[in-house]
Amino acid sequence: MNTRVSPRHLATILWLNGAAALALTAGTAQAAAVTEKLVIVQNGENIGTVTGTTDGASVSVDYYVDDNGRGPKHKENLTIGAGGIPTSWTVGGTSLMGGSVNESFKWEGGQASWTSQADKGAVPAAKAPLYVVNDDSPWALGVYARALLKAPGNSLPLLPAGTMRLVKVKATTLGAGKDALPLTLYRIEGVNLQPDYVLLDKAGRLFATFGGHYLTIRQGHEKEAHAIQALGAEAERALARDRQKALAHRYTQPVRIRNVHVFDARTGTLGGLSTVIVLRDRITAVMPSDQDPFGGNGAQPDDQVIVDGQGGTLMPGLHDMHSHTTLDSGLFYLAAGVTETRDMGNDNAFLQDMMPRIEAGELAGPRITPNGFLEGRSPYSARFGIIPETVADAVKAVDWYADRGYFQIKIYNSMTPDWVRPIADEAHKRGMTVTGHVPAFDTPDRCIRDGYSEITHINQLMLGWLLKPEEDTRTPLRLTAMARAADLDLNSAPVQATVKLMVDGHIAHDPTAVILERLMLSRAGVTPPGDVDYLDNMPIGYQRYRKRTFVPLKSPADDQAYVKAFGKVLETLKLLHDKGIRLLPGTDDVTGFTVHREMELYTMAGISPAEVLRLSTLSPEEYMGHGDLGTVERGKLADLVLIAGDPTQDIRAVKKPRLVMKGGAIYYPSEIYQSLSIKPFADAPPVTVPKVMEGPGDSLGAPGLFGGGHDDDLGD
């Protein structure tokens, strides 16, 4: 195929994925079309593909993912211009949960215009700007990386907003001898909540991308997946270690937190002004301010760190009772005041490596209580935890988790219903309980009778009242069918029968209502209701990601059905709470922001803010049997959060933590957010560090990795 090239582009040689250098002749570039394929791997299994065909300056991409019945499926077309920057880019197909994708960008005639699920616009542009695709694929990372390599300082302003940076991490070689393949690892920053990592070969072609538990790698090199994932994991850990060193402030002397109202999680009340003293990771005193020998008279000990709470609330750390830990999640959680999570399923090797690193203080993160993930084998299987082939294998898997101290067994969608009872029997024998999804073609009632002591996700519970026996919840139906809840009668016999089973069996519930809200109420171009308090502070890529439709909406009636059905979700929460069923606030997310929204949704359902605070602090500790946490008392572990307002009156006050303590370290959310390219939500409180304590690693006056040093008084 012949592609016309303007005279000013004659000297430009474009290296594209799967393409050789273009041979330029008198105004015409000729190159054979080349197709390149990458595969997407999770937990050692292929779950999707990325296929790109390059023909001159034109590129077409086919992106397909099938992960547990979900995944984007769309096609892209690009035209690459000067500097490796696309001059046009279209995306069409479906997104994660089947929502429609129809995105386009074009630069011509000195103007750049775009339309996406999140936004649309047009701006003058003398040259093509780097457009960040809203519904992108791993292929896009290769496009960005090559453009950034050509840019001054490896940085470019973005359309519609923001700046993208490329950081070289290291050069490496895959294989040896004649099969040796030189590669360079880069980190892309500034767009999303977590950086992206790409491996490029010598020609600048994309070899692999990775993040979390996913890996995209060039087809034919799947056997190298483990080595590439190890390389990526170490790069991610190195960045996480650097951030922890810069952001965790530790002191060998007492930390005296004055002028605070302590939240009593047992009574749901705030006390009068108090002083709380912490030595390393333990609370050593809690006293009224008028009994503090250093309170109110301006005096202060010269060998203690002094924190002025300025009349704010000091409360126990929050919990996320439905998390899936990632290497990046720790700082997000701590910045949100979340000091403990329950991991509901993970790559087992990753989690076993991660937990001791957090406990040792090498990496930032909340305390983790792990659950053992068991999934059945089917075309829809999730690729986490253990997927047993027989019921005997499933029982052995229970023992594997029990031997490693896991709290519960979590069962997932594709598990054979008849295997639930033997799994539960073995779990109970080993001192564990069972939670999870309701397996396909099973019911909540049968799961409870077969040994569940908890149901996770409110849709998994409510679908038992909405679906026909033959309907398959291994597909996105387990989410889209929630629209039927619009007309659900909560006084009906099926609902009341399940609720009675839960009451009689002391069955707990982990609703993750915030994720249902995100899916059911997501609308293209609109800030979701749960994101309005924080989204403007986020990187541009994440802002745009949230403004999309995740569920298919074929008519206005579909729209209204989801809205009405989510109202029924809130009514169900109130029904369960009023019946005395223990609610375990969780999110199925790792940003921390969704923990705040989950709590807010409970108040919208009619549960008092004080009770929601108890459900989010002390109640999870009682459920998990941890006696050292959940209240602010002498001798307890000092997992604490300082906020400015009174959350017993307005739960939204928890959205702006000023200081967080966990594991003997003090974290300032404002510092964390700055390091993550997020605009902070609240300032740090005034903190005074005695001069005698100042020095590297032991003082707020020591230079940090992010933003230089600190003054002694952070309130200035």
Side-chain angles (χ1 to χ4, degrees):
M1 173 180 177
N2 292 333
T3 303
R4 297 296 302 175
V5 179
S6 66
R8 64 191 176 93
H9 293 163
L10 285 177
T12 303
I13 296 178
L14 302 176
W15 285 100
L16 305 172
N17 277 329
L22 300 181
L24 300 181
T25 60
T28 302
Q30 294 181 340
V34 176
T35 296
E36 184 179 3
K37 190 169 185 177
L38 300 100
V39 295
I40 302 168
V41 179
Q42 183 187 38
N43 203 25
E45 299 189 28
N46 292 358
I47 62 170
T49 57
V50 183
T51 304
T53 299
T54 301
D55 192 346
S58 299
V59 185
S60 61
V61 181
D62 192 342
Y63 182 37
Y64 179 91
V65 177
D66 187 354
D67 177 20
N68 186 28
R70 302 168 295 186
K73 299 168 182 61
H74 54 66
K75 298 183 184 298
E76 305 172 48
N77 289 284
L78 303 79
T79 303
I80 306 297
I85 296 176
T87 58
S88 68
W89 203 329
T90 63
V91 186
T94 58
S95 60
L96 178 70
M97 300 306 305
S100 177
V101 173
N102 186 16
E103 182 173 5
S104 64
F105 159 77
K106 191 171 186 64
W107 174 76
E108 64 179 356
Q111 179 165 283
S113 58
W114 76 97
T115 300
S116 75
Q117 284 203 72
D119 47 26
K120 63 180 179 180
V123 296
K127 60 180 181 179
L130 183 59
Y131 175 72
V132 177
V133 180
N134 192 30
D135 282 281
D136 63 358
S137 69
W139 192 276
L141 297 178
V143 175
Y144 301 151
R146 284 186 296 279
L148 291 165
L149 280 171
K150 296 174 181 291
N154 301 135
S155 176
L156 283 170
L158 302 174
L159 189 70
T163 301
M164 185 183 289
R165 300 174 296 277
L166 188 72
V167 179
K168 181 179 178 180
V169 178
K170 67 180 297 185
T172 188
T173 301
L174 192 66
K178 62 181 180 60
D179 296 324
L181 179 61
L183 300 168
T184 304
L185 177 63
Y186 296 96
R187 185 172 68 240
I188 299 175
E189 301 178 337
V191 178
N192 297 307
L193 293 185
Q194 298 87 17
D196 292 297
Y197 289 85
V198 297
L199 270 172
L200 302 184
D201 65 15
K202 289 179 65 175
R205 297 175 299 181
L206 183 64
F207 181 82
T209 73
F210 42 78
H213 306 298
Y214 292 88
L215 170 70
T216 303
I217 189 169
R218 189 176 293 173
Q219 188 180 48
H221 292 270
E222 292 90 336
K223 64 181 183 300
E224 310 290 352
H226 181 75
I228 297 301
Q229 285 177 311
L231 174 69
E234 181 48 42
E236 292 176 316
R237 276 199 300 268
L239 180 61
R241 284 194 296 264
D242 288 344
R243 285 175 168 168
Q244 168 73 335
K245 289 177 183 177
L247 298 169
H249 303 282
R250 299 181 184 275
Y251 305 99
T252 57
Q253 300 300 316
V255 176
R256 197 178 201 92
I257 308 172
R258 303 196 301 193
N259 299 324
V260 292
H261 297 275
V262 175
F263 173 69
D264 185 336
R266 292 194 176 93
T267 64
T269 59
L270 285 188
L273 282 177
S274 300
T275 295
V276 176
I277 304 173
V278 174
L279 180 62
R280 291 182 287 275
D281 64 347
R282 290 280 174 180
I283 299 170
T284 60
V286 180
M287 67 186 80
S289 290
D290 58 11
Q291 296 179 22
D292 181 356
F294 296 100
N297 56 9
Q300 65 182 48
D302 60 7
D303 62 347
Q304 296 185 18
V305 177
I306 308 299
V307 178
D308 184 356
Q310 298 181 315
T313 297
L314 190 70
M315 54 183 281
L318 300 173
H319 293 68
D320 187 340
M321 292 296 283
H322 196 120
S323 175
H324 296 280
T325 306
T326 70
L327 190 60
D328 299 303
S329 64
L331 284 175
F332 285 102
Y333 273 132
L334 293 174
V338 177
T339 58
E340 184 162 1
T341 64
R342 180 176 59 161
D343 190 290
M344 294 292 280
N346 219 306
D347 178 286
N348 291 328
F350 165 80
L351 195 62
Q352 288 291 307
D353 177 76
M354 183 78 172
M355 289 175 61
R357 293 179 188 271
I358 292 176
E359 291 165 6
E362 174 190 344
L363 300 176
R367 303 176 194 275
I368 298 173
T369 297
N371 274 6
F373 191 93
L374 285 183
E375 168 70 309
R377 175 65 67 184
S378 83
Y380 304 100
S381 296
R383 276 75 170 187
F384 272 173
I386 297 174
I387 307 177
E389 301 296 337
T390 68
V391 67
D393 290 339
V395 170
K396 289 178 182 177
V398 172
D399 292 331
W400 189 93
Y401 286 123
D403 290 346
R404 288 157 180 80
Y406 281 64
F407 174 58
Q408 290 173 306
I409 293 297
K410 179 187 175 183
I411 291 174
Y412 208 59
N413 294 322
S414 292
M415 181 57 65
T416 303
D418 289 344
W419 294 10
V420 171
R421 184 178 292 275
I423 289 171
D425 288 346
E426 185 67 13
H428 297 156
K429 187 190 305 181
R430 296 300 306 270
M432 305 167 75
T433 56
V434 177
T435 183
H437 288 209
V438 175
F441 314 113
D442 206 341
T443 67
D445 294 18
R446 180 183 172 186
C447 286
I448 292 169
R449 293 189 178 100
D450 282 345
Y452 275 37
S453 44
E454 178 188 337
I455 302 286
T456 192
H457 300 305
I458 197 162
N459 61 309
Q460 293 287 321
L461 180 65
M462 295 176 70
L463 288 172
W465 312 323
L466 300 172
L467 293 181
K468 300 173 183 176
E470 68 275 10
E471 291 186 293
D472 191 348
T473 54
R474 296 173 299 180
T475 71
L477 182 69
R478 66 182 180 273
L479 298 166
T480 57
M482 285 298 294
R484 304 178 195 177
D487 300 315
L488 178 65
D489 179 3
L490 295 181
N491 292 314
S492 66
V495 174
Q496 292 300 313
T498 303
V499 171
K500 185 177 188 303
L501 271 177
M502 296 179 74
V503 172
D504 293 347
H506 304 286
I507 307 301
H509 182 50
D510 158 27
T512 64
V514 64
I515 294 301
L516 268 294
E517 180 189 43
R518 278 189 162 181
L519 292 168
M520 297 169 70
L521 302 188
S522 61
R523 300 295 183 267
V526 178
T527 300
D531 297 345
V532 293
D533 288 337
Y534 76 90
L535 197 60
D536 287 347
N537 293 48
M538 308 303 283
I540 186 62
Y542 186 77
Q543 288 187 39
R544 300 179 76 219
Y545 177 77
R546 292 260 52 92
K547 298 177 183 179
R548 60 172 69 192
T549 300
F550 286 96
V551 291
L553 296 174
K554 298 178 181 179
S555 69
D558 289 344
D559 184 317
Q560 289 306 304
Y562 279 116
V563 172
K564 187 177 179 182
F566 188 73
K568 198 69 67 170
V569 168
L570 297 182
E571 291 179 33
T572 304
L573 283 174
K574 185 63 162 60
L575 168 66
L576 299 175
H577 180 71
D578 289 349
K579 291 291 186 178
I581 293 167
R582 186 192 294 265
L583 299 181
L584 301 167
T587 69
D588 211 6
D589 183 53
V590 293
T591 63
F593 303 111
T594 43
V595 173
H596 302 153
R597 181 59 175 180
E598 182 81 1
M599 298 169 69
E600 188 178 7
L601 288 174
Y602 292 8
T603 64
M604 292 168 60
I607 305 172
S608 73
E611 175 63 8
V612 172
L613 288 169
R614 187 189 71 80
L615 291 174
S616 305
T617 55
L618 178 59
S619 181
E621 301 297 351
E622 294 173 334
Y623 184 68
M624 296 184 293
H626 301 165
D628 264 2
L629 293 159
T631 58
V632 184
E633 297 178 89
R634 174 178 167 82
K636 291 288 187 78
L637 287 168
D639 285 9
L640 305 171
V641 182
L642 174 65
I643 58 179
D646 179 356
T648 66
Q649 298 302 311
D650 183 358
I651 200 68
R652 294 171 66 192
V654 301
K655 297 184 178 185
K656 297 182 178 181
R658 304 183 69 194
L659 174 150
V660 178
M661 300 187 75
K662 182 265 169 181
I666 293 177
Y667 297 88
Y668 299 99
S670 58
E671 286 187 339
I672 293 176
Y673 286 133
Q674 286 173 349
S675 77
L676 298 173
S677 301
I678 297 171
K679 181 181 177 181
F681 301 89
D683 293 333
V687 178
T688 303
V689 181
K691 296 294 183 182
V692 69
M693 293 178 61
E694 291 187 357
D698 198 32
S699 168
L700 291 179
L705 180 63
F706 306 101
H710 305 272
D711 294 330
D712 284 346
D713 186 345
L714 290 181
D716 290 344

